[in-house]
Amino acid sequence: MTSPRQAGGRRPARRRTLLPGFVVLGMLFLPPSMSGPTGPTVKDETFVTAETGGLLHIEAGECFTDPAYSPEAAEVVVLYTPCKEQAANQSYGFVHAPDGEWDPAALTTFARESCRRGFDGNWSGESASGLDFYPVMPTRRTWADGDRDVMCVVYSPEGSMNGSALPLARW
């Protein structure tokens, strides 16, 4: 998730490249835990990482698909999806982890606590019903390249969301 920052800490706009027609075919190659409606889906910090294809194209507030194998890209990718098209995930923010040595346990704790605070700040009581969150973290490799950004993502364990989950986007 490494990217140059503009003045004021904002990420520069990224171009979105959509890879056509692979999601349905790609679902055939996913493990059962990711491929079908066998009950609520639990997503955690291992669901996708900073190295998942397409993830670097997702900005705060944007929605995207669950990971699926793309024959065109020859890897597992996520795709930007307009929130109104019942996307599976929505980024609700980024937090910057402190510099230091690669420590996966400390990074996981930091990511979960930081994203929990953001989730609790956006959704409480009835508005949190049916929603959960997970962090997307740097990997050992991206950390070595200077990546310290954690993406916080909201999703519905029961399936796709019906529009944006962000409270302000509902108005």
Side-chain angles (χ1 to χ4, degrees):
M1 293 195 303
T2 304
S3 69
R5 300 247 180 207
Q6 294 176 340
R10 285 189 36 103
R11 292 169 165 272
R14 295 186 183 130
R15 291 177 14 146
R16 288 186 185 80
T17 306
L18 298 180
L19 302 174
F22 71 89
V23 174
V24 174
L25 178 61
M27 294 300 284
L28 299 173
F29 300 102
L30 292 177
S33 64
M34 292 172 53
S35 64
T38 57
T41 301
V42 177
K43 300 176 184 179
D44 64 12
E45 61 278 353
T46 64
F47 186 65
V48 294
T49 71
E51 291 188 51
T52 302
L55 193 69
L56 295 179
H57 297 286
I58 307 301
E59 296 291 335
E62 292 183 334
C63 294
F64 59 99
T65 64
D66 280 345
Y69 182 78
S70 165
E72 291 89 357
E75 67 178 334
V76 173
V77 300
V78 299
L79 295 176
Y80 164 82
T81 302
C83 295
K84 65 184 177 185
E85 292 181 13
Q86 298 186 342
N89 309 280
Q90 185 172 15
S91 170
Y92 62 90
F94 291 84
V95 292
H96 191 75
D99 285 334
E101 294 297 315
W102 170 250
D103 183 346
L107 180 59
T108 299
T109 299
F110 170 83
R112 296 227 22 105
E113 289 174 358
S114 298
C115 290
R116 165 60 67 194
R117 280 192 301 277
F119 182 83
D120 290 346
N122 281 305
W123 299 275
S124 62
E126 187 64 30
S127 69
S129 178
L131 297 176
D132 204 350
F133 75 96
Y134 64 95
V136 178
M137 303 189 321
T139 64
R140 176 183 296 275
R141 189 172 86 183
T142 66
W143 188 270
D145 289 338
D147 181 12
R148 303 295 186 267
D149 290 334
V150 174
M151 177 191 288
C152 299
V153 180
V154 65
Y155 76 102
S156 170
E158 299 300 324
S160 296
M161 296 180 292
N162 198 12
S164 175
L166 291 174
L168 296 177
R170 293 181 185 170
W171 299 102

